[in-house]
Amino acid sequence: MSEVDAETNRQLTTLDGWRKFIENPPAPPVLLSPDALRRLSRTERDLYDDDRLDHHARMLVVATSFVEKTVTCGRRLVLLNRHAISARRGLIVSGLPGTGKTIAITQLGRAHELLDRARHPNVPDRIPVLYITVPPAATARMVAAEFARFLGLPVRSRLNMTDIIEAVVGVCTDTRTGLVLVDEIHNISQTTRSGAEVSDTLKYFSERIPATFVYAGIGVEDSELLAGTRGAQIAGRFTLVPTRPFPYGAEWKGLVATLENTLLLHGHQPGSLVKLDRYLHNRADGMIGALSHAIRGAAIDAILSGTERVTKEAIDAIPLDHAAETAASPLKKAARR
């Protein structure tokens, strides 16, 4: 997954990890003055640099127009579904890798959970949001086990599918789960028996759990998830929000400026990256994931090498994902059209 690193994603798929994600990130370290920097011992300097490295390693969440649209659409559906007995509507977030799908749905989940906590203070046993990813070549049992794993329920080999599903539904109902986020939904194919069974299992969960379901995946509108009768049912109940590479314009320039303002480097010239915004757009091919990776990677290199600044040459040295490196691919041209 390109929007967040594997470790973060692994944590999101457990209740403890999700709750840590909901909390505010730690405050960034203070950039010391030259005099204060010189007074540091060797050990103190190493610890100071390590704090700055950790800061640049964190994925910054930027409130882009797409994130805001996803949160708005999701909250609207939650409200519309609040009193629905059946046939609740859902949301599908679809697009190319690196366009911010996971960031968008997790920010929707964060907004929903924080609102739920505000409405129900001092009620720690509520689980308003559940987040899972669909494993490659998933079976129905594997997906049911992902639900159970998030909730901390044991999945023993002797338990059948009905046992797992009933346990999950019982906990979600008791803890008032109102939003279920299912990432990597493109791993489901309606044209295979196991894929169809996974689709049926998710549909059954959505009928039994009084929650709004949100799916995210790559190219969902053209995937086999929407194939056949089952796919037609999904298409008839889910609103699709597409993601695309950012065009070069005011919002892209704002993204570059926001990322530059997070840099904690002693030799970096403020505004120098903003002047490179068109180059950065070409380098990242309009992908926010690639842009963030390039700038954060160059910042980490700047600390490790001692240059303490991010330059065009430093960004050129950061290898990006294959999609960004082959920006003229037919898939990207089609996405822009």
Side-chain angles (χ1 to χ4, degrees):
M1 180 179 296
S2 56
E3 289 91 346
V4 291
D5 58 37
E7 178 67 12
T8 300
N9 183 56
R10 183 190 67 80
Q11 293 173 349
L12 287 176
T13 56
T14 66
L15 182 57
D16 287 343
W18 175 262
R19 285 176 171 168
K20 289 177 183 177
F21 164 74
I22 296 300
E23 305 301 330
N24 290 323
V30 176
L31 194 65
L32 298 179
S33 67
D35 287 341
L37 198 63
R38 283 191 291 269
R39 288 196 295 268
L40 295 180
S41 67
R42 181 69 263 174
T43 300
E44 290 172 335
R45 177 60 189 261
D46 288 343
L47 292 173
Y48 170 70
D49 286 348
D50 191 63
D51 286 342
R52 291 191 297 143
L53 290 168
D54 186 66
H55 164 75
H56 291 108
R58 294 181 184 278
M59 182 71 168
L60 175 69
V61 176
V62 182
T64 64
S65 58
F66 169 64
V67 170
E68 292 174 352
K69 181 178 180 180
T70 301
V71 172
T72 299
C73 288
R75 292 190 64 183
R76 182 192 307 127
L77 287 171
V78 169
L79 291 170
L80 290 171
N81 290 334
R82 179 173 290 176
H83 302 294
I85 298 174
S86 62
R88 282 177 288 271
R89 299 282 176 170
L91 182 68
I92 295 176
V93 177
S94 172
L96 292 168
T99 49
K101 299 180 298 299
T102 297
I103 289 176
I105 66 169
T106 53
Q107 287 304 300
L108 167 61
R110 188 173 190 273
H112 178 82
E113 176 136 352
L114 290 176
L115 181 60
D116 187 89
R117 291 183 183 185
R119 285 176 173 166
H120 306 279
N122 305 318
V123 185
D125 59 347
R126 292 177 70 90
I127 305 177
V129 179
L130 189 152
Y131 174 90
I132 71 162
T133 61
V134 178
T139 64
R141 182 184 173 86
M142 289 168 65
V143 169
E146 287 296 308
F147 276 78
R149 186 167 76 95
F150 180 92
L151 298 170
L153 300 174
V155 182
R156 300 184 179 90
S157 58
R158 67 174 181 272
L159 294 178
N160 58 37
M161 272 283 293
T162 303
D163 294 330
I164 299 173
I165 290 174
E166 290 303 316
V168 168
V169 170
V171 172
C172 287
T173 303
D174 292 342
T175 59
R176 303 296 190 270
T177 301
L179 188 66
V180 175
L181 308 176
V182 183
D183 212 343
E184 305 290 286
I185 197 70
H186 55 266
N187 285 329
I188 298 176
S189 170
Q190 304 282 14
T191 62
T192 66
R193 179 177 178 179
S194 61
E197 290 174 350
V198 170
S199 179
D200 289 344
T201 300
L202 286 174
K203 184 175 183 293
Y204 187 64
F205 271 130
S206 70
E207 292 169 349
R208 294 287 307 280
I209 302 172
T212 298
F213 276 61
V214 176
Y215 297 162
I218 299 171
V220 177
E221 58 268 49
D222 299 318
S223 73
E224 294 176 344
L225 175 72
L226 302 182
T229 303
R230 291 179 175 86
Q233 289 180 329
I234 294 173
R237 290 175 45 239
F238 281 75
T239 299
L240 192 140
V241 178
T243 71
R244 293 182 177 86
F246 282 86
Y248 178 72
E251 186 167 17
W252 179 263
K253 295 177 182 179
L255 288 174
V256 174
T258 298
L259 287 169
E260 184 170 26
N261 287 338
T262 67
L263 296 179
L264 294 178
L265 300 172
H266 290 280
H268 185 76
Q269 183 66 35
S272 58
L273 287 187
V274 174
K275 295 177 182 177
L276 296 173
D277 52 20
R278 185 176 289 277
Y279 153 76
L280 290 168
H281 187 267
N282 292 333
R283 179 80 172 93
D285 197 35
M287 300 290 189
I288 186 173
L291 174 69
S292 174
H293 179 83
I295 292 178
R296 292 184 298 125
I300 288 172
D301 283 0
I303 296 173
L304 294 175
S305 66
T307 63
E308 292 288 338
R309 62 183 181 273
V310 174
T311 62
K312 180 178 179 295
E313 292 73 23
I315 292 174
D316 271 336
I318 302 297
L320 301 182
D321 56 87
H322 182 66
E325 297 287 10
T326 55
S329 67
L331 180 62
K332 293 210 170 184
K333 291 178 180 177
R336 285 200 176 89
R337 288 198 295 269

